[in-house]
Every structure is written in C-alpha cells, then in structure tokens.
Amino acid sequence: MKSKDPWSRKSNSFLLAACLAPGLIGCRALNDWPLTYNLWHNRMLARFNEPADNPHLQLFQSARTNDVLVQYDEVREKNEKVRVRSFFLNRNLERLEGGKKPRFVNPSKADNLQPIPLVSELPAADNSHRLIGVVSTNGHEVTLCDQGRELASFSLPVYETAGGKVERVILTPVAATCDVVIVAVTAGGVLAYWWAENGGPGINNH
C-alpha cells in the first residue's frame, strides 16, 4: 500500500486551506463572491432615503401648472434625520416608477396652493368636482380620484442616496483586491493538488 510522504500531506493541507480561503477572507457563501459584484448589487450595502413612519402627507393642487404638489416627511437611513420634502407629481411620475429620486422643490411652494382632502377610503357616492387623495394605512401609497374616477396612483419615494454610492466607490478597490486574492489562492490550491497527484519535483510516489 502506498503511503503519502510529508510533502504530499502538506500539499493536501494547503489545498484544504485554499478551499477555506474565501470563508477566511470574509465570504460567508459562494453567493458572496465575487465581492465586487456583491458590493454593487446587494441592497443591504446601500443607504436609502424613505418616507418616515408617519410621513404627515399633504397634497396641494396647483391650478397654474395643472399639477399636484406632494409634501411629506422623509427620513435619512444613515442618521435617521427627518426633513420635509416636496415635489410635483406629474413631472415626476416616471422617476417614481423607476425608483429614482424626484426633483424636489422648496416646501414653501405649498403656501399659496389649495389643499387636497385626504381620506382612508373613497366615499360610496362622491359627486363633488374636486380632487381627493385616498391614502393607504401607512400613509405611503396614494390614489388620486375625481368623482370616483382614479386619476393616478403612486408611492412615496424610496431611493438610494449619493452617500451610499460614494462609500461603495471607495470600497470597490478593496473588494477587487480581495477577488484577485481569492482567485490566486484557489488557483494555487488547484495547482498544488495537480502537483501532488502527478509527482512534482521532490515528491516520492513510492
């Protein structure tokens, strides 16, 4: 029966270490690699601005621009800071649907506008010639109605902050370096295994 010499045992140990290298470097599973891809596609690593738990939603009608001004409280995920945000609905519908940051305006734009009544459900018979906003329980989704007819539905914006993207740009070189190290260590492990199995210099197969 053939016995493995010390070099062969060492090479097998090295191979085992190579297989464990991604875990030692920080990959919890194969899905965590490559790190650079994971850095840019894992939402857990991004930072978002989103509506506050109680957004204090208000809607205003602008007869001059034939648009609706949306005003609400936004919370910044990074530091939980709350601030009032305002944007015109019609000119931002596509951005909202695409998960992009709306083009915000100064909240003072609401000063001379007509408030739009907000309700939790549409009245059974509404013959009034005015806009009504039907708001979800959490205050984050709104449907605009006129005489019972739906005009538009939207959700208050949730979007990634510029700061989160900057942090990932800074971390990208580190992640790329780790990816290179993982590939190099894995390739070295494969080479060591091949070397041991094919009797490289210094290996006695008898």
Side-chain angles (χ1 to χ4, degrees):
M1 186 171 108
K2 295 180 181 180
S3 61
K4 294 184 179 180
D5 59 31
W7 198 99
S8 182
R9 289 196 297 271
K10 288 181 180 179
S11 66
N12 288 338
S13 298
F14 179 76
L15 176 60
L16 178 61
C19 293
L20 295 176
L24 295 175
I25 293 174
C27 294
R28 298 186 307 274
L30 290 177
N31 289 335
D32 290 329
W33 189 84
L35 298 180
T36 306
Y37 177 88
N38 197 45
L39 178 65
W40 285 97
H41 291 82
N42 190 339
R43 287 177 63 89
M44 295 289 291
L45 301 176
R47 296 185 184 276
F48 291 87
N49 287 356
E50 57 189 6
D53 290 338
N54 181 2
H56 298 105
L57 175 67
Q58 297 182 81
L59 303 180
F60 302 89
Q61 186 173 9
S62 174
R64 184 177 65 84
T65 61
N66 193 30
D67 208 339
V68 171
L69 182 71
V70 181
Q71 192 167 101
Y72 69 103
D73 287 349
E74 175 189 82
V75 62
R76 189 178 183 186
E77 184 182 26
K78 182 177 182 179
N79 54 18
E80 299 298 320
K81 180 180 179 181
V82 177
R83 57 181 168 179
V84 178
R85 286 295 210 179
S86 299
F87 65 90
F88 284 102
L89 179 61
N90 289 340
R91 66 187 72 171
N92 284 286
L93 274 176
E94 289 187 6
R95 299 184 67 83
L96 292 177
E97 292 171 356
K100 297 180 179 179
K101 177 182 177 180
R103 295 185 174 91
F104 292 115
V105 298
N106 194 308
S108 64
K109 292 281 187 181
D111 290 349
N112 299 315
L113 301 182
Q114 179 68 32
I116 297 175
L118 301 178
V119 296
S120 57
E121 59 183 23
L122 194 63
D126 182 14
N127 297 318
S128 61
H129 293 273
R130 65 174 184 172
L131 286 176
I132 290 179
V134 182
V135 186
S136 64
T137 304
N138 64 3
H140 292 185
E141 290 81 36
V142 186
T143 299
L144 282 174
C145 298
D146 183 7
Q147 293 183 288
R149 179 170 57 95
E150 290 189 9
L151 301 180
S153 294
F154 66 96
S155 299
L156 295 180
V158 177
Y159 58 93
E160 186 176 358
T161 66
K165 293 179 180 179
V166 169
E167 290 175 357
R168 286 194 280 180
V169 168
I170 294 173
L171 290 174
T172 294
V174 177
T177 300
C178 289
D179 285 336
V180 171
V181 170
I182 291 172
V183 171
V185 170
T186 303
V190 172
L191 179 60
Y193 179 79
W194 179 87
W195 191 285
E197 290 297 315
N198 290 276
I203 299 178
N204 184 1
N205 291 324
H206 301 287

